[in-house]
Amino acid sequence: MSTTYGTASSITIPSDGDTIDAADVNTPLAAIWDQHDVLADTAALTAILVPTHGLMRYVRGYGHYVFVTSGTYSASTAASPWILASGDGTAGRWVLNLTADSNKTIIRTIAIADANPRGSTELAKTHDISGFWVPASQDSTASDANRSYFFFEGREMRFATTNNAAALGRHVMVDITRALVEGATLDSVKLTLKGAGAPRATLPVMMPSLAVIRFDPEAETVVSLLAANTKDDTAASPAAYDAVHQFTLTTDQNQTIDTSKSVYYAVICNEGNTNALAELALRSLIITMTTKGYLR
């Protein structure tokens, strides 16, 4: 009795006495051979014309791909080398085995109080770290003028002063390079902070802001990862603002991490102008990246 093997490309193995033609063996064997014959690269794979659902091919250095026109990944955005579009525009995607592990979300957290931040004098809200920035102090008791700007209290760093008469704020910059994965995509940075906690009827006119930038030490250039440069705190009420809360900057440009050329900073501006209070507290930066499964 004949026996059928396989699913994507089945082949029927005859028993003695079966009548069998060449086509009964040649057709499935050709399909099976195509699945295991080696294509030189992914360009050869995507050059295949009018691929059909379930078609499989093997690419040197990558492994098996299957073309899918329905189901998981069939309409996914192409993400080389894991998910590839057909070169001739056929609807569907070439999907590499283990594509479920292709993209990883990596989250790293930095405690601002332990990150050796540097601070500025009063500036208009900015992402630009040009100018004179000095290490933030460990307390607010010494005569050093910088120590009257910032101080540390256990789990947080605080702005000791504020300007409630103008849209000016002191800034701090925190080096986040140590937390980044080379070649990954920097998706977002979330800031954890807390207002002064004193009762106030309305929010500060100038809310705190967050910026994420990269600095090229050789070219001496500063580039923002956000087209708008700074992202304001999104707390909706004084009560929400003066409690521990978070807001997120989602990057929209210059997102591929290149630590071979650049140093990356988060730049945080204090609250200011009408209704601003001293002692805004900064606690942590939470960095989210997307990276290929083989990067860490």
Side-chain angles (χ1 to χ4, degrees):
M1 180 177 180
S2 300
T3 304
T4 300
Y5 294 90
T7 53
S9 296
S10 61
I11 183 169
T12 299
I13 306 300
S15 296
D16 289 342
D18 284 353
T19 300
I20 191 166
D21 296 323
D24 295 327
V25 175
N26 293 348
T27 299
L29 279 179
I32 291 171
W33 178 256
D34 284 340
Q35 294 177 21
H36 298 283
D37 194 18
V38 178
L39 296 177
D41 49 36
T42 56
L45 175 73
T46 57
I48 295 173
L49 299 176
V50 197
T52 56
H53 183 75
L55 185 66
M56 293 182 68
R57 290 294 184 268
Y58 187 89
V59 179
R60 180 181 291 114
Y62 293 94
H64 280 99
Y65 284 82
V66 60
F67 194 78
V68 293
T69 59
S70 62
T72 305
Y73 305 117
S74 61
S76 299
T77 300
S80 180
W82 306 92
I83 303 171
L84 302 171
S86 173
D88 68 358
T90 300
R93 292 289 184 269
W94 287 105
V95 180
L96 177 65
N97 279 356
L98 300 178
T99 291
D101 290 331
S102 61
N103 290 320
K104 297 289 188 181
T105 297
I106 296 179
I107 298 175
R108 302 271 171 81
T109 300
I110 293 175
I112 293 176
D114 299 313
N116 299 314
R118 284 185 283 157
S120 75
T121 55
E122 285 189 349
L123 303 168
K125 188 179 293 185
T126 185
H127 70 292
D128 192 351
I129 60 171
S130 302
F132 186 62
W133 296 64
V134 295
S137 170
Q138 298 301 311
D139 60 63
S140 59
T141 60
S143 58
D144 180 353
N146 180 57
R147 298 191 178 203
S148 66
Y149 299 165
F150 316 97
F151 67 95
F152 295 74
E153 190 168 275
R155 58 196 176 186
E156 59 200 25
M157 194 208 85
R158 297 189 185 186
F159 293 89
T161 64
T162 191
N163 187 332
N164 58 16
L168 298 171
R170 303 195 189 280
H171 295 61
V172 292
M173 54 185 284
V174 180
D175 184 349
I176 63 172
T177 313
R178 75 194 82 173
L180 304 183
V181 176
E182 176 69 12
T185 299
L186 203 166
D187 297 315
S188 66
V189 177
K190 182 186 295 183
L191 174 63
T192 307
L193 69 167
K194 181 181 184 296
R200 54 179 144 189
T202 57
L203 290 164
V205 169
M206 189 181 84
M207 295 288 278
S209 71
L210 172 65
V212 178
I213 59 100
R214 70 184 191 199
F215 171 63
D216 184 331
E218 183 176 356
E220 296 184 344
T221 53
V222 172
V223 177
S224 176
L225 275 64
L226 182 70
N229 293 328
T230 60
K231 169 72 175 181
D232 282 354
D233 191 320
T234 54
S237 68
Y241 177 69
D242 287 326
V244 176
H245 64 286
Q246 299 173 317
F247 70 97
T248 300
L249 182 154
T250 301
T251 61
D252 58 15
Q253 61 182 17
N254 307 311
Q255 296 165 285
T256 301
I257 296 167
D258 182 3
T259 58
S260 69
K261 291 185 62 178
S262 299
V263 182
Y264 290 77
Y265 293 97
V267 182
I268 305 159
C269 179
N270 192 13
E271 65 184 81
N273 218 331
T274 307
N275 301 318
L277 297 173
E279 299 198 17
L280 172 68
L282 307 180
R283 291 195 173 174
S284 69
L285 293 163
I286 302 169
I287 301 163
T288 300
M289 296 164 280
T290 302
T291 184
K292 301 301 183 188
Y294 49 80
L295 294 175
R296 287 293 182 273

